[in-house]
Amino acid sequence: MNRLLRRLVESGGSDLHLGTDSIPILRKDGELLRLEEPPIDGTLLELLIRSIMDSEGWQTFQRDNDVDW
């Protein structure tokens, strides 16, 4: 997760979009840019987001299948 967030900051992007079996995407100047990364499977995605999300955020994600923070 640190590597993805570092790439976001270094690129000057504003958002990091992650989805199961999807290539990570960042938003820069309103444009969505796919990173040169492999798709992230569901197991790894859960580990990544749980490593930085508090329990309330995780509950919101489980309930709504989406979270923005």
Side-chain angles (χ1 to χ4, degrees), residues 10-24:
E10 289 172 353
S11 73
S14 61
D15 296 64
L16 178 63
H17 298 266
L18 302 174
T20 301
D21 297 325
S22 296
I23 294 170

Side-chain angles (χ1 to χ4, degrees), residues 6-46:
R6 190 174 302 112
R7 287 192 65 186
L8 173 67
V9 171
E10 289 172 353
S11 73
S14 61
D15 296 64
L16 178 63
H17 298 266
L18 302 174
T20 301
D21 297 325
S22 296
I23 294 170
I25 296 173
L26 62 85
R27 181 181 306 274
K28 181 177 179 185
D29 300 326
E31 189 175 340
L32 296 177
L33 306 170
R34 289 176 175 253
L35 296 178
E36 291 184 18
E37 296 277 340
I40 299 173
D41 71 32
T43 302
L44 178 56
L45 182 58
E46 181 177 333

Side-chain angles (χ1 to χ4, degrees), residues 50 53-60 62:
R50 288 195 77 170
M53 188 181 291
D54 63 17
S55 62
E56 183 179 330
W58 180 247
Q59 289 173 357
T60 300
Q62 288 185 307

